[in-house]
Amino acid sequence: MQDNHQRYGVVSRLLHWGMAAIFLWQFLGMVLLIILGETPLTYFFLGTHGPLGAVLFVLIALRLGWYGRNASNRPEQEASCSGKLAGMGHKLLYVLMIIVPLLALLRSYGSGRAFAPFGIPLWGASEQKIEWMIAVGNAAHGILAWALLAMIAGHVGFALWHKMVKRDQVWSRMV
Ligand code: HEM
Ligand code: HEM
């Protein structure tokens, strides 16, 4: 269950791969919207964008808690420059994973519309809009989400490089 210095444990792996699958679903929907426009296939993915984003927000909170519990007890990055960059890259992924759904949830709250992901009522409708929440969400949710996708692409590229070129243990300790 717990992480150790050789590999990530079951909980970290489930969180990593489960969340990776949901992130890919979110981005696939948006990419289909850009390429195909508003088709039934697009809405198959996009129909759950808000609710799944809210699920991701809960999962990242759990993942942060688990990270804290295992901080001194997980695979370490190399002391080299690239190892330090990898550590910073992971931290930036965490920051974006929190901020991207948070901004959208703020905007949703500020819009005055009720929000009940998968039937669970988080807040009801309100007469009053909160303009700054809407403005912040409009300004930054989309652009930071694309920045997160770019970070993920780099992350996957580096993971594959470890597996295929360096052939070290970095790939297998998460896979
Ligand atoms: C971590 C989870 C999320 C990811 C990765 C994500 C990703 C994205 C992406 C890539 C876009 C396209 C931006 C563009 O049009 O250029 C987008 C738009 C949008 N998202 Fe999300 N989203 C997430 C969570 C949420 C949540 C929780 C909500 C609602 C509560 C939401 C509501 C929207 C809306 C309404 C748009 C269209 C308006 C806009 O571009 O800001 N998203 N999202
Ligand atoms: C096919 C997709 C992916 C592959 C092949 C992959 C691969 C890996 C590997 C091999 C590690 C271990 C690296 C190490 O120990 O230094 C790792 C860790 C990590 N990955 Fe991914 N990853 C993928 C998707 C994602 C996504 C979508 C995110 C976030 C949005 C993400 C965030 C992280 C983070 C933050 C870590 C550090 C460990 C942790 O705190 O959970 N990964 N990944």
Side-chain angles (χ1 to χ4, degrees):
M1 295 287 274
Q2 305 284 333
D3 300 339
N4 63 39
H5 290 301
Q6 282 71 47
R7 52 134 189 85
Y8 295 93
V10 174
V11 176
S12 293
R13 288 180 197 219
L14 274 177
L15 284 167
H16 177 270
W17 293 109
M19 289 178 68
I22 306 177
F23 272 110
L24 294 181
W25 181 281
Q26 297 286 77
F27 285 115
L28 187 58
M30 286 300 170
V31 169
L32 287 175
L33 181 64
I34 292 168
I35 296 174
L36 301 178
E38 300 184 8
T39 66
L41 178 68
T42 309
Y43 279 100
F44 176 70
F45 288 96
L46 273 192
T48 49
H49 185 83
L52 277 183
V55 168
L56 277 172
F57 188 64
V58 173
L59 290 176
I60 185 62
L62 294 175
R63 186 165 170 182
L64 264 180
W66 193 251
Y67 180 113
R69 223 186 121 118
N70 285 271
S72 59
N73 191 30
R74 25 174 42 194
E76 277 162 12
Q77 303 300 331
E78 287 170 16
S80 63
C81 185
S82 60
K84 286 193 185 109
L85 281 176
M88 280 161 59
H90 289 165
K91 290 199 176 72
L92 188 54
L93 279 168
Y94 269 96
V95 170
L96 288 172
M97 281 194 278
I98 298 164
I99 288 184
V100 166
L102 179 65
L103 287 171
L105 290 168
L106 259 186
R107 175 175 59 188
S108 172
Y109 182 78
S111 74
R113 283 193 301 271
F115 186 54
F118 302 111
I120 302 164
L122 289 192
W123 52 80
S126 136
E127 293 285 293
Q128 223 160 4
K129 287 187 177 177
I130 307 174
E131 294 299 339
W132 72 264
M133 289 188 180
I134 301 175
V136 162
N138 283 343
H141 173 64
I143 185 92
L144 289 180
W146 293 123
L148 173 58
L149 181 60
M151 286 285 303
I152 292 171
H155 172 70
V156 175
F158 283 122
L160 286 170
W161 177 69
H162 276 284
K163 179 176 166 57
M164 293 179 185
V165 181
K166 282 192 91 181
R167 293 168 190 259
D168 57 15
Q169 77 300 347
V170 166
W171 175 269
S172 57
R173 64 197 186 185
M174 182 56 94
V175 177

